[in-house]
Amino acid sequence: LPACGERVPPSPPAAVSQVTVRDALNQALDEELERDERVFLLGEEVAQYDGAYKISRGLWKKYGDKRVIDTPISEMGFAGIAVGAAMAGLRPVCEFMTFNFSMQAIDQVINSAAKTCYMSAGSIPVPIVFRGPNGASAGVAAQHSQCFAAWYGHCPGLKVVSPWSSEDAKGLLKASIRDDNPVVMLESELLYGVPFEMSEQAQSKEFLVPIGKAKVERQGTHVTLVAHSRPVGHCMEAAAVLSKEGVECEVINLRTIRPMDVEAVEASVVKTNHLVTVEGGWPQFGVGAEICARIMEGPAFNYLDAPAVRVTGADVPMPYAKILEDNSIPQVKDIVFAVKKVLNI
């Protein structure tokens, strides 16, 4: 013990470093391939080319052809191979170059993967992860820019996760690979190169983010903002702008679309009495629509002081022209406008 009056040196702060979402995903894949020999990665250009987005950089050289597998351009084919491998006891990670192309394989994802455990009375688990970029990128038009959170979140038998930060990306991918159910992991191409702070704990080999738990990214008292994936960052920016005007937003990073953490949203709404949902997807039957319905049906409805407001992508196929694209995706100004509308200021 220090002598009386002796100054105790402060304990060193936990090491925090900047890690891009790309590197966090690469780290997660590397650790899980090393940890469990049943895990393997397959998809277009994932091996020798190091991945279309360099998520699998270095993994083919380290683990070889049996663990990191380049496939033909046939989503229906390689997704089917992956689902069959999962039924046979392996743990595949199936990469779609964009989730728009998962439409080629949606029969495998829904009819083969999602429903089999139920239809076999629990005797055939399907431990598979379908992952890749989802939602809008930049300048790639309608056939590469759709958000499938509502589509896959609609289906019982699937778990659906949607990370924002590097911590989300690493922890959710590792949790998804270890889960015995099929998981759809919807990443954002525009976030791959974005660095986030990651603690020493988040960089450890046993760091997992539990599926089905949202995270409060910012505490607030006036309005609840709920988002997933890239729009979480827009909400944080909008919250910083509104804070200068005396409005304190509570920002909830949903992290998981299915099963949805409605309790976290309810607890926040009880505190703030106002709700705004933000998503890049289309408005009709969207994630925000589901959140609003669940709040209306539950106990938190009695705490609302104004109707909930949704901020969504425009109800059109994504335009190619940049100025039109910008107007089709929720921007910070749209969130600020929605908050002021719901607060009547």
Side-chain angles (χ1 to χ4, degrees):
L1 288 172
C4 184
E6 186 181 332
R7 185 173 171 275
V8 181
S11 54
V16 174
S17 52
Q18 296 271 326
V19 179
T20 64
V21 172
R22 173 182 289 109
D23 289 341
L25 290 166
N26 180 268
Q27 209 176 86
L29 285 169
D30 189 8
E31 289 170 8
E32 294 305 301
L33 283 162
E34 184 177 60
R35 175 181 172 271
D36 188 342
E37 63 182 16
R38 296 172 298 172
V39 176
F40 70 99
L41 172 67
L42 80 168
E44 294 151 1
E45 298 183 353
V46 298
Q48 294 187 39
Y49 187 66
D50 277 345
Y53 311 99
K54 304 304 175 214
I55 304 296
S56 52
R57 186 176 53 229
L59 299 181
W60 174 67
K61 284 181 181 163
K62 185 171 179 181
Y63 295 102
D65 288 325
K66 286 192 174 179
R67 308 287 304 283
V68 183
I69 303 168
D70 276 332
T71 64
I73 303 174
S74 172
E75 282 76 14
M76 183 188 290
F78 68 73
I81 288 168
V83 172
M87 289 177 179
L90 299 178
R91 305 186 83 89
V93 179
C94 177
E95 178 179 307
F96 294 123
M97 198 177 284
T98 154
F99 260 92
N100 296 265
F101 302 160
S102 75
M103 294 295 91
Q104 301 289 327
I106 199 164
D107 181 50
Q108 308 287 10
V109 178
I110 305 300
N111 282 327
S112 300
K115 299 175 182 176
T116 295
C117 187
Y118 178 85
M119 293 177 74
S120 66
S123 64
I124 306 175
V126 188
I128 185 171
V129 180
F130 300 101
R131 53 154 295 273
N134 169 71
S137 181
V140 290
Q143 290 176 334
H144 301 76
S145 298
Q146 186 177 334
C147 176
F148 290 92
W151 284 49
Y152 286 119
H154 181 65
C155 302
L158 285 181
K159 294 184 179 182
V160 183
V161 299
S162 183
W164 168 56
S165 66
S166 299
E167 182 180 299
D168 294 349
K170 181 179 179 187
L172 284 171
L173 181 51
K174 287 172 73 77
S176 300
I177 291 170
R178 297 186 191 190
D179 201 288
D180 286 333
N181 300 281
V183 182
V184 169
M185 182 159 172
L186 304 171
E187 299 156 14
S188 167
E189 184 182 336
L190 293 175
L191 287 174
Y192 283 154
V194 177
F196 288 88
E197 284 190 352
M198 268 184 96
S199 65
E200 205 170 350
Q201 179 203 1
Q203 293 186 64
S204 77
K205 289 189 176 182
E206 287 308 306
F207 176 74
L208 303 176
V209 167
I211 294 172
K213 289 291 177 191
K215 182 186 179 187
V216 178
E217 297 286 352
R218 180 187 174 114
Q219 297 284 345
T221 51
H222 295 125
V223 61
T224 299
L225 300 178
V226 186
H228 66 96
S229 191
R230 189 164 172 258
V232 175
H234 293 140
C235 287
M236 295 292 279
E237 289 178 46
V241 170
L242 287 158
S243 181
K244 292 173 184 170
E245 299 180 35
V247 175
E248 293 302 329
C249 304
E250 182 144 298
V251 179
I252 295 181
N253 174 6
L254 216 49
R255 282 181 162 179
T256 306
I257 307 301
R258 183 184 187 102
M260 189 179 282
D261 190 356
V262 178
E263 293 79 10
V265 181
E266 284 178 338
S268 181
V269 169
V270 166
K271 181 167 73 165
T272 68
N273 311 116
H274 299 91
L275 174 64
V276 173
T277 67
V278 185
E279 65 190 303
W282 294 320
Q284 191 155 322
F285 314 116
V287 175
E290 175 66 18
I291 294 167
C292 291
R294 300 280 276 273
I295 292 299
M296 194 186 80
E297 291 167 351
F301 174 73
N302 297 310
Y303 290 84
L304 282 176
D305 288 343
V309 170
R310 292 178 293 157
V311 179
T312 70
D315 197 21
V316 295
M318 183 62 70
Y320 174 70
K322 184 173 188 334
I323 191 160
L324 293 177
E325 181 180 70
D326 289 344
N327 280 290
S328 299
I329 303 169
Q331 306 291 341
V332 172
K333 63 180 173 58
D334 302 315
I335 301 168
V336 171
F337 179 82
V339 167
K340 289 183 174 181
K341 177 183 174 183
V342 84
L343 293 175
N344 198 25
I345 55 176

